[in-house]
Amino acid sequence: MINTGNILPFLMTLFIQGIFLNFVLKLERKQCECSRDVRRDIIKYYSVVLIVFSLLMKVVPKKSPLLVKYVLPLAGLLHLVYIGVVVSYVHNLVNKKCECSGTWGRDVMYYYSLLILAIMLLSLVTLVGSLIIVKV
């Protein structure tokens, strides 16, 4: 049975990762030398992984013990690392004044990644804060 809940986050993930993938593929096709970096490859491959993972999450039962105990925490940790890679890569492109990368796709990658990073940090602060309150 296909899970039809949370359709907006699912579509957002497909859309955003499609933009990320399209951006790095265009840089490769243009043979943009100033964008050549291992982080570009990480973004290319991991955006595909996220698209496939999102599609699989629509068919896997949400209450699967394996999913809840192992897969989702690992995916969250990997996503945090990925967001850091995206922010540092785009920041590097801007610092290098890489003209062939200066498109709206780069801006979307940068601002979306900063937003997700801020949300993750806010969630972490909230979690730590709630744990402290519970202990007191």
Side-chain angles (χ1 to χ4, degrees):
M1 178 113 221
I2 293 179
N3 179 5
T4 57
N6 297 325
I7 197 75
L8 187 59
F10 167 72
L11 293 175
M12 267 304 271
T13 298
L14 294 182
F15 181 69
I16 293 294
Q17 294 310 314
I19 290 173
F20 285 20
L21 182 59
N22 185 50
F23 175 73
V24 295
L25 289 175
K26 280 184 179 178
L27 292 177
E28 282 185 350
R29 271 184 255 134
K30 283 196 250 182
Q31 296 179 350
C32 178
E33 286 300 314
C34 55
S35 75
R36 186 171 287 192
D37 189 310
V38 68
R39 291 172 291 189
R40 183 178 74 183
D41 294 331
I42 291 169
I43 294 166
K44 178 174 67 173
Y45 295 118
Y46 197 71
S47 62
V48 172
V49 167
L50 281 175
I51 290 168
V52 170
F53 184 73
S54 295
L55 292 170
L56 286 175
M57 290 301 296
K58 285 296 170 193
V59 295
V60 173
K62 292 282 189 211
K63 294 181 182 178
S64 165
L66 178 67
L67 181 72
V68 172
K69 193 170 184 179
Y70 300 107
V71 176
L72 291 179
L74 178 61
L77 182 62
L78 288 174
H79 196 66
L80 183 60
V81 171
Y82 173 68
I83 292 299
V85 166
V86 172
V87 169
S88 68
Y89 178 66
V90 173
H91 185 71
N92 187 49
L93 292 176
V94 171
N95 282 346
K96 282 184 179 178
K97 296 179 177 40
C98 182
E99 291 183 20
C100 51
S101 74
T103 66
W104 64 270
R106 182 180 74 185
D107 295 336
V108 168
M109 286 178 71
Y110 186 66
Y111 291 116
Y112 175 78
S113 298
L114 286 179
L115 174 67
I116 294 301
L117 195 57
I119 290 169
M120 287 178 158
L121 289 174
L122 182 61
S123 298
L124 181 63
V125 167
T126 303
L127 176 66
V128 170
S130 66
L131 290 174
I132 291 171
I133 289 172
V134 168
K135 280 192 169 188
V136 174

